[in-house]
């Protein structure tokens, strides 16, 4: 784990936190921490490698428990130390328990190995993280107790060496401190991990850092060159010496009241950051169109949009893109001249519509919708926000595929600058962007030569289009 960039301190309002011990530059890795324990989600157990958390079309199954799946023998070997006790427990029980129980069991096995002490340069032992059990409502406590009972059946160490209160504490720690792990393209959460040092970094709704999951590298010929999967805390802007480090615990594209409610329910604190206190951005996120429609019309369209989005997003999740597009068009038509392009409900419809149009190869229409979505994001998010960067990347790709190479190249370059800060040069997403940036740059040069009459237009244009399509199919 990197060190020398930050220190632990006590705050009157927030409790423990981390602050910079020197000036930090945009994109700099402030903290890189391997997971203390991590698991793949139940629903993706056969689609995601249990070692590096990459999605793969063909995975190799553990021949003993027949539950864990891996990219190859290298990933399986790298994970064996963590999986071997889980493997035996699954065989004894006869089936794998849920992801909460599996993560708690892995924490117990790791705890036994480390004798409860902080390891790998961690700033705090996992045992000393907050559990907030006293803040949980009755319904949540019942769910937690069910997981405790299932863990006692699954993990023999739990029954022999831990009290029920100790086990409850571990589940409380998981609930309050787990971080989502994304696939290699950064598009979907595929698992959970516990990172004790990162748990000390406090939340802010306009943070100065971003957290990104790096899958590491197990593909080098020499194992000495392998790197562990890790969570990286990167500076989103220049950070002054002594300034507190923060990142966003929840989706920042929400109204301040909704963010505060989520933070209270999940993390048990009242957010009083400047953005929440001043309700900054709320006016844009709930804005009516410039035509100033009547209040009752705004209310009617807002209710219609919420109802429609449930159907639209379900159709998108089910892969029924024609239905998703049909519903999206209906909703966008209702919203036109009633809700502003920065309204959260409109942005959500833009997102699903872009996805559906891309799948149906209607790239010109997708490019226009994606452009409006990006313009809305730019007004609501920080300049180096990863969500903005990913939206720009998506918009750049559809513009490129629509034959609007210059616009696509400009968006891809903007996305590259943002994601270099949030993800770094070695992440799969950034490498994809670098390849796209290089390709669109070549095509722009080619098109300029065509315009200057240096090449035969038809042949060159056809070649550029086929190159773009081939690259996108590969991606």
């Amino acid at each position: 784990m990197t060190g020398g960039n930050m220190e632990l301190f006590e705050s009157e309002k927030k409790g423990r936190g981390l602050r910079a011990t020197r000036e930090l530059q945009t994109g700099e890795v402030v903290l890189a921490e391997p997971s203390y324990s991590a698991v793949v989600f139940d629903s993706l157990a056969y689609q995601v490698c249990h070692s590096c958390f990459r999605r793969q079309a063909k995975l190799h199954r553990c021949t003993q428990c027949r539950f864990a799946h891996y990219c190859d023998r290298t990933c399986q070997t790298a994970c064996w130390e963590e999986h071997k006790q889980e493997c035996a427990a699954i065989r004894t029980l006869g089936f794998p328990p849920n992801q909460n129980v599996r993560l708690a069991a892995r924490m117990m096995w790791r705890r036994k190995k480390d004798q409860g002490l902080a390891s790998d340069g961690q700033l705090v032992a996992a045992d000393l993280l907050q559990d907030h059990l006293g803040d949980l409502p009755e319904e949540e406590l019942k769910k937690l107790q069910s997981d405790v009972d299932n863990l006692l059946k699954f993990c023999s160490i739990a029954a022999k060496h831990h009290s029920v209160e100790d086990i409850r504490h571990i589940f409380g720690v998981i609930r309050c401190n787990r971080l989502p792990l994304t696939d290699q393209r950064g598009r979907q959460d595929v698992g959970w991990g516990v990172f004790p040092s990162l748990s000390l970094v406090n939340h802010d709704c306009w943070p100065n850092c971003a957290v990104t999951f790096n899958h590491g590298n197990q593909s080098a010929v020499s194992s000495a060159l392998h790197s562990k999967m890790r969570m990286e805390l990167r500076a989103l802007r220049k950070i002054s010496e002594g300034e507190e480090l923060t990142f966003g615990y929840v989706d920042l594209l929400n109204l301040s009241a909704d963010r505060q409610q989520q933070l209270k329910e999940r993390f048990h604190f009242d957010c009083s950051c400047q953005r929440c206190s001043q309700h900054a951005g709320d006016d844009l996120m709930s804005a009516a169109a410039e035509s100033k429609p009547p209040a009752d019309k705004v209310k009617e369209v807002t209710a219609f949009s919420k109802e429609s989005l449930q159907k639209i997003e379900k159709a998108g999740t089910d892969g029924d893109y024609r239905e998703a597009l049909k519903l999206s068009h209906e909703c966008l038509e209702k919203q036109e001249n009633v809700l502003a392009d920065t309204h959260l409900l409109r942005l959500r419809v833009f997102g699903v519509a872009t996805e559906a149009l891309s799948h149906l190869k209607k790239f010109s229409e997708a490019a226009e919708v994606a452009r409006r979505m990006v313009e809305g994001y730019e007004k609501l998010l920080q300049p180096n926000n990863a969500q903005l960067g990913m939206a720009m990347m998506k918009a750049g790709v559809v513009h490129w595929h629509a034959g609007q190479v210059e616009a696509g190249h400009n968006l891809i370059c903007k996305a590259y600058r943002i994601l270099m800060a949030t993800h770094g040069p070695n992440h799969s997403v950034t490498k994809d962007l670098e390849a796209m940036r290089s390709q669109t740059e070549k095509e722009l040069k080619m098109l300029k030569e065509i315009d200057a009459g240096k090449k035969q237009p038809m042949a060159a244009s056809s070649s550029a289009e086929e190159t773009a399509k081939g690259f996108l199919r590969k991606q």
Side-chain angles (χ1 to χ4, degrees):
M1 187 179 76
T2 55
N5 297 323
M6 71 283 164
E7 64 182 1
L8 184 64
F9 77 105
E10 287 286 337
S11 162
E12 286 185 15
K13 293 182 179 179
K14 297 182 180 179
R16 293 180 297 185
L18 295 181
R19 63 188 172 200
T21 54
R22 62 175 179 82
E23 186 175 85
L24 302 167
Q25 303 303 313
T26 303
E28 187 172 349
V29 178
V30 186
L31 172 65
E33 183 179 14
S35 68
Y36 183 81
S37 295
V39 294
V40 173
F41 289 151
D42 299 337
S43 58
L44 298 171
Y46 307 134
Q47 301 170 44
V48 173
C49 175
H50 288 223
S51 177
C52 69
F53 289 77
R54 290 179 171 90
R55 285 187 74 115
Q56 303 286 4
K58 292 183 179 179
L59 293 170
H60 301 274
R61 184 170 60 182
C62 173
T63 56
Q64 297 185 53
C65 69
R66 307 178 73 81
F67 170 71
H69 284 67
Y70 302 98
C71 297
D72 48 34
R73 180 69 66 181
T74 304
C75 271
Q76 186 169 10
T77 302
C79 192
W80 179 242
E81 183 65 28
E82 193 170 17
H83 175 60
K84 63 182 178 181
Q85 295 181 85
E86 176 187 70
C87 186
I90 290 172
R91 282 181 283 140
T92 300
L93 186 64
F95 60 89
N98 70 43
Q99 58 212 23
N100 283 339
V101 173
R102 288 188 288 114
L103 184 54
R106 286 197 169 201
M107 285 189 67
M108 286 189 167
W109 290 318
R110 175 68 185 268
R111 181 189 189 186
K112 183 173 183 289
K113 176 187 170 186
D114 295 343
Q115 298 180 333
L117 303 174
S119 61
D120 290 332
Q122 290 163 350
L123 297 172
V124 64
D127 281 359
L128 299 179
L129 296 175
Q130 291 285 340
D131 61 23
H132 289 287
L133 290 176
D135 299 318
L136 293 183
E138 189 64 32
E139 194 61 34
E140 286 293 321
L141 287 172
K142 286 180 181 178
K143 291 179 184 177
L144 188 143
Q145 186 57 48
S146 176
D147 283 337
V148 170
D149 295 340
N150 288 329
L151 179 67
L152 289 168
K153 296 174 187 174
F154 176 64
C155 178
S156 58
I157 288 178
K160 291 179 182 176
H161 302 288
H162 299 276
S163 67
V164 171
E165 283 306 310
D166 195 21
I167 298 170
R168 282 163 56 85
H169 168 69
I170 290 173
F171 277 109
V173 165
I174 289 171
R175 187 182 181 281
C176 298
N177 296 278
R178 69 191 181 216
L179 288 174
L181 311 180
T182 58
D183 64 14
Q184 65 270 35
R185 302 299 172 202
R187 293 174 183 166
Q188 182 182 13
D189 292 346
V190 297
W192 281 329
V194 175
F195 301 82
S197 295
L198 272 170
S199 296
L200 298 172
V201 181
N202 285 315
H203 164 85
D204 196 277
C205 293
W206 201 257
N208 55 22
C209 292
V211 167
T212 306
F213 183 50
N214 188 315
H215 295 78
N217 174 28
Q218 302 289 333
S219 61
V221 175
S222 171
S223 60
L225 298 176
H226 290 175
S227 60
K228 289 184 177 181
M229 66 175 189
R230 58 199 179 274
M231 199 67 83
E232 294 177 345
L233 185 74
R234 290 177 174 270
L236 291 177
R237 57 168 174 77
K238 185 181 284 188
I239 298 174
S240 305
E241 180 180 347
E243 186 178 346
E244 183 178 6
L245 306 172
T246 58
F247 71 90
Y249 290 5
V250 296
D251 185 357
L252 303 180
L253 274 181
N254 274 307
L255 297 174
S256 54
D258 294 332
R259 294 196 306 271
Q260 287 176 314
Q261 183 179 349
Q262 291 171 24
L263 291 164
K264 184 68 173 178
E265 289 177 356
R266 169 79 192 281
F267 302 101
H268 310 287
F269 70 88
D270 297 306
C271 185
S272 57
C273 72
Q274 185 177 12
R275 197 158 176 81
C276 279
S277 301
Q278 297 177 358
H279 304 288
D282 285 4
D283 53 344
L284 288 173
M285 293 186 203
S286 58
E290 289 183 3
S291 58
K292 296 182 179 178
D296 58 345
K297 184 66 175 178
V298 173
K299 186 177 180 180
E300 175 197 328
V301 171
T302 299
F304 176 83
S305 300
K306 288 178 180 177
E307 186 179 336
S308 296
L309 266 165
Q310 293 181 355
K311 300 173 185 175
I312 293 168
E313 290 174 344
K314 184 181 185 305
T317 302
D318 294 343
D320 189 351
Y321 298 111
R322 292 190 184 282
E323 180 66 11
L325 183 57
K326 173 178 165 290
L327 294 170
S328 295
H329 276 154
E330 289 174 2
C331 195
L332 289 173
E333 190 175 337
K334 280 265 191 183
Q335 292 174 346
E336 194 69 34
N337 296 320
V338 179
L339 304 184
D341 280 2
T342 56
H343 196 292
L344 294 178
L345 295 174
R346 192 152 172 80
L347 287 172
R348 282 172 62 186
V349 182
F350 280 155
V352 182
T354 300
E355 199 75 28
L357 286 163
S358 299
H359 276 279
L360 297 172
K361 303 189 187 313
K362 298 183 178 184
F363 296 110
S364 294
E365 190 179 344
E368 174 58 21
V369 176
R371 178 190 64 78
R372 294 176 72 175
M373 179 177 69
V374 166
E375 287 177 356
Y377 278 13
E378 286 181 305
K379 293 174 183 176
L380 298 175
L381 296 169
Q382 291 166 280
N384 283 334
N385 181 282
Q387 198 171 354
L388 173 61
M390 297 294 280
M392 282 181 170
M393 178 172 71
K394 184 186 292 186
V397 169
V398 293
H399 276 82
W400 179 26
H401 213 89
Q404 301 172 36
V405 182
E406 186 170 4
H409 178 70
N410 290 338
L411 283 162
I412 286 167
C413 287
K414 287 181 179 179
Y416 183 72
R417 284 194 292 271
I418 293 172
L419 296 178
M420 274 290 286
T422 60
H423 289 61
N426 298 317
H427 198 282
S428 302
V429 172
T430 326
K431 288 180 178 179
D432 285 350
L433 268 171
E434 172 58 33
M436 285 188 270
R437 189 179 68 152
S438 175
Q439 183 63 34
T440 51
E441 192 171 354
K442 289 177 185 175
E443 290 180 20
L444 269 179
K445 185 178 179 182
M446 187 189 304
L447 290 170
K448 286 177 181 177
E449 289 174 348
I450 291 170
D451 290 340
K454 293 180 180 178
K455 292 191 176 182
Q456 292 297 320
M458 293 301 292
S461 177
S462 175
S463 172
E465 183 180 355
E466 285 306 310
T467 303
K469 288 181 178 177
F471 183 85
L472 286 164
R473 280 196 294 272
K474 181 181 176 184
Q475 292 307 306

